Amino acid sequence: MDKKENLRCALTGQPHDWVPASFFFHLKPHELEGEACTRFHVDFYRKTDVDFLKVMHDGLTAPCTLSPRGLWELKDYRPGRESNAYVSAYLDRVCRVSDALGGDAAVYANIFSPFTLLRRIGEERLLSYIREDASAVRDVLCRMAEDIGWMAEQMVKKAGCMGNFLAFQGAESNLFSVEEYGNWIQESDRILLDAANQASPYNILHFCGWNQVKNHLEVWKDYPGCAVNWAIYVEELSLEEGRKYFGMRPVMGGFDNRKNGLLYCGSQAQVEEETRRIIEMYRRTFGSTDTLILGADCSFLTDFSPERFRWILDTAKACSR
């Protein structure tokens, strides 16, 4: 199998040649724009040999202004699709990376949920707007979701992505209650999910362990998507238990992305041994590794050495053989 076929089989729970793996690495300031950004992604793919490449969102903004003069300015937001500067900038980035790889790689776009992007105006400001008029904020999120959902579709249709890596935040246990999340945020999530899943059957859902705070995972439990990735070390929910929790779908994860984690600090022998342990534990639990993709809780910072990812990728292929 080639990488794309192997990954599609993993995402649909079919037998395949090896356990695929992918990891994500933040960009440095000089890599945020233009040719330097494209070169970063291509070099990262060639250097690490990941089974799919996620095009990073670093350096981009949001569909709406991040410096609103008041809630009234956000309420004026209307979907613009290709005329929205944020949408066109990110789509252009992904198209450039996909073209540069020439079809060799399975490419994913990192699509943030409307709430994840809107909270960039500042959490206290956003919470004050919710207190002022929660229904208006919900409506703004839904209009943003129309633009972001259209962008997710274009990532597949125009940029040639296999799917989208759909990242959700806002369910932190110290932020909103389950009911509040359902009332204010969930509708915009659903608009995005509907658009993305119509475009591709291979989307991966990422439930972010933002600021190392546990989430109300029940709000995301039944979100439709091909595979699920969550912060197993923040949530204290293992790959095996998480797969059961999320409806026995394919799962992605296994490694801690934090600086005190094994992948940051361990020796090559320790990382390879942990890779074998994760694979064997999964195989013993479910009888095969057909639904496993190796990855981490989230992206790695720029001080990490991405060559260390190769230790996992090479070991996974050896274990599969």
Side-chain angles (χ1 to χ4, degrees):
M1 291 184 176
D2 62 21
K3 282 184 178 180
K4 288 184 175 179
E5 183 182 3
N6 191 74
L7 179 60
R8 285 193 188 98
C9 287
L11 288 167
T12 53
Q14 301 176 60
H16 48 287
D17 289 349
W18 69 88
V19 176
S22 189
F23 298 89
F24 318 129
F25 185 69
H26 284 295
L27 283 68
K28 296 175 182 176
H30 68 278
E31 297 166 332
L32 295 175
E33 297 180 351
E35 181 58 31
C37 184
T38 302
R39 187 167 57 252
F40 162 84
H41 285 91
V42 173
D43 289 349
F44 178 82
Y45 178 74
R46 304 294 186 207
K47 185 183 296 182
T48 60
D49 198 33
V50 289
D51 284 283
F52 72 88
L53 177 74
K54 185 186 81 169
V55 180
M56 298 298 288
H57 188 275
D58 298 2
L60 297 168
T61 54
C64 63
T65 176
L66 295 182
S67 301
R69 291 165 287 176
L71 178 56
W72 60 268
E73 187 171 5
L74 288 178
K75 289 165 68 173
D76 287 340
Y77 175 87
R78 293 295 181 272
R81 297 191 174 189
E82 65 269 24
S83 66
N84 186 290
Y86 163 81
V87 170
S88 59
Y90 194 24
L91 182 57
D92 179 70
R93 174 184 292 188
V94 178
C95 285
R96 286 174 179 270
V97 172
S98 183
D99 288 347
L101 288 171
D104 288 348
V107 176
Y108 276 70
N110 189 173
I111 305 292
F112 284 121
S113 71
F115 178 83
T116 304
L117 294 172
L118 188 59
R119 80 187 303 176
R120 294 183 173 192
I121 69 174
E123 201 154 286
E124 285 306 315
R125 177 184 287 180
L126 178 54
L127 292 175
S128 74
Y129 290 166
I130 291 173
R131 290 190 292 268
E132 178 183 341
D133 190 343
S135 63
V137 174
R138 183 196 61 221
D139 291 345
V140 171
L141 289 170
C142 289
R143 288 196 289 269
M144 288 176 62
E146 292 184 41
D147 269 340
I148 300 169
W150 183 86
M151 180 175 70
E153 292 176 353
Q154 298 307 305
M155 293 300 185
V156 176
K157 296 176 181 178
K158 183 176 180 180
C161 291
M162 180 179 288
N164 290 289
F165 193 83
L166 303 170
F168 297 89
Q169 291 180 7
E172 298 98 289
S173 57
N174 63 355
L175 186 60
F176 300 125
S177 68
V178 171
E179 183 179 13
E180 288 169 337
Y181 190 96
N183 288 339
W184 302 335
I185 302 171
Q186 208 147 39
E187 185 178 355
S188 59
D189 288 349
R190 292 288 182 177
I191 292 170
L192 169 58
L193 285 162
D194 287 348
N197 286 324
Q198 285 179 22
S200 171
Y202 302 116
N203 296 309
I204 300 171
L205 310 184
H206 170 68
F207 302 135
C208 185
W210 179 250
N211 277 345
Q212 316 303 312
V213 177
K214 287 187 177 182
N215 290 289
H216 295 297
L217 288 177
E218 59 265 41
V219 304
W220 296 324
K221 182 178 181 180
D222 298 319
Y223 275 21
C226 187
V228 184
N229 169 246
W230 67 96
I232 65 174
Y233 290 92
V234 173
E235 307 291 357
E236 298 179 321
L237 182 69
S238 70
L239 283 174
E240 293 76 23
E241 291 305 311
R243 184 179 180 226
K244 297 171 187 176
Y245 182 80
F246 288 111
M248 296 297 287
R249 283 179 277 181
V251 297
M252 177 177 178
F255 288 89
D256 194 342
N257 69 303
R258 296 173 296 184
K259 288 195 174 186
N260 60 346
L262 177 66
L263 194 46
Y264 253 101
C265 306
S267 67
Q268 181 172 350
Q270 289 173 318
V271 172
E272 291 173 346
E273 178 58 32
E274 178 65 2
T275 304
R276 288 188 288 268
R277 186 198 68 79
I278 292 169
I279 291 172
E280 289 307 314
M281 175 69 75
Y282 198 90
R283 182 180 284 122
R284 286 199 300 270
T285 303
F286 299 114
S288 77
T289 57
D290 289 343
T291 52
L292 174 63
I293 301 168
L294 292 175
D297 284 2
C298 206
S299 300
F300 286 76
L301 299 176
T302 56
D303 62 349
F304 184 80
S305 298
E307 294 85 355
R308 295 169 71 88
F309 296 143
R310 287 297 297 260
W311 303 345
I312 297 169
L313 288 144
D314 291 345
T315 302
K317 286 184 173 66
C319 286
S320 302
R321 287 195 295 270

